[in-house]
Amino acid sequence: MGSDEDSGAGGRRDGLPPGAGRDKPALDELRRRIAAIPGRGEAAAEPIPLAAELRREALAVPPALAELLPEGGLVKGSVVAYAGASSLLAGLLAAVTEGGGHAAVVGLPRLGLLAAVEMGAQLQRLAVVADPGPDPVEVAAVLLDGLDLVVLGLDGATVAPARTRVIAARARNKGATLVVTDGGWPNPALRLDTRIAGYSGLGAGRGRLRSVSLEVLVRGKAGPPRHGRIELRPSASRVEWVSLETAVNEATADAREAAS
């Protein structure tokens, strides 16, 4: 099973220009290549007639995670704030690219792709900009024009509310989903938090890792938080996601019991 910290499969793919965030020529070249992506690039050049129709459509995610999400996936045209184990990010990239979509990772040089490949990721549909230069948000904004999913690492920075509103509007108009991590992003549509809850298969300093357990917390703008536990298990030539439990917050459960 690929490690959260594995970086052996890093580097740029799909021929993206080096230092894509450093100067205008590089960004212009990036825009040209995004526009050339079959299906997504051409469609993104046309205005979306009704953003409300896209808002209910969702990107594919691992089924065990879908049970926790309000729309059964990451809503197209939304911004999601993420914190926690990179295994979940690898799973998102795998689900989107395996389903025929295109995705990109910006500003996350330590996010190795081995784990994503083990979950089914198709690397020919995945772009990696490990070093986006001084303005990774601008690079992500360009990628939103032609991709289904963009995962953006902020390297500890907090993005100003005025700019987040502009980027969120762009994602909504293009029908693309932006996942931001490792920084501050005010007022996202959804917040996802995970932590590694345990391992199985390892004894006293030795043994073979058989599974990794993640605790996941989902908080939207409306409705109660949802939390659950997911286990990642190697199966044949890939890693499978298995749902162990799903629940709403305890306060909501208590209120329902009292009402009954």
Side-chain angles (χ1 to χ4, degrees):
M1 188 187 303
S3 167
D4 268 354
E5 300 301 326
D6 176 73
S7 58
R12 291 180 183 80
R13 302 193 65 83
D14 292 351
L16 292 180
R22 289 175 182 159
D23 50 52
K24 187 175 184 299
L27 285 173
D28 289 342
E29 174 65 15
L30 182 58
R31 289 187 178 96
R32 284 193 292 271
R33 298 191 183 194
I34 289 299
I37 294 175
R40 276 294 296 172
E42 294 123 357
E46 301 176 1
I48 303 296
L50 289 175
E53 293 179 1
L54 278 175
R55 201 167 296 133
R56 300 276 68 87
E57 295 181 16
L59 289 177
V61 299
L65 179 61
E67 298 175 11
L68 287 167
L69 300 177
E71 302 293 336
L74 298 182
V75 175
K76 293 182 179 179
S78 67
V79 178
V80 178
Y82 177 76
S86 61
S87 298
L88 189 139
L89 295 177
L92 297 179
L93 295 169
V96 170
T97 58
E98 188 176 29
H102 292 81
V105 180
V106 179
L108 290 171
R110 292 181 63 83
L111 180 64
L113 301 183
L114 176 58
V117 170
E118 290 176 338
M119 296 175 193
Q122 302 298 304
L123 293 184
Q124 69 272 23
R125 300 192 185 100
L126 177 62
V128 177
V129 185
D131 177 14
D135 194 356
V137 177
E138 179 62 23
V139 174
V142 173
L143 292 167
L144 288 171
D145 287 354
L147 303 182
D148 300 283
L149 171 68
V150 177
V151 178
L152 168 63
L154 296 173
D155 194 25
T158 297
V159 184
R163 193 173 193 194
T164 63
R165 288 192 291 270
V166 172
I167 301 299
R170 187 168 190 161
R172 184 167 56 251
N173 290 336
K174 300 298 182 179
T177 302
L178 176 64
V179 176
V180 294
T181 187
D182 192 23
W185 189 282
N187 200 32
L190 193 71
R191 292 188 182 275
L192 282 174
D193 297 271
T194 67
R195 74 176 186 88
I196 296 177
Y199 302 90
S200 69
L202 296 179
R206 60 183 178 177
R208 183 177 179 84
L209 181 64
R210 290 199 300 266
S211 68
V212 177
S213 179
L214 300 178
E215 287 190 356
V216 184
L217 175 64
V218 180
R219 291 169 292 169
K221 290 185 176 180
R226 301 182 179 192
H227 60 86
R229 180 171 290 198
I230 295 171
E231 194 168 75
L232 309 183
R233 300 175 184 170
S235 175
S237 60
R238 63 180 294 159
V239 173
E240 301 290 346
W241 291 55
V242 180
S243 177
L244 299 182
E245 59 182 79
T246 300
V248 296
N249 66 348
E250 295 179 1
T252 302
D254 291 343
R256 288 178 179 173
E257 184 177 348
S260 62

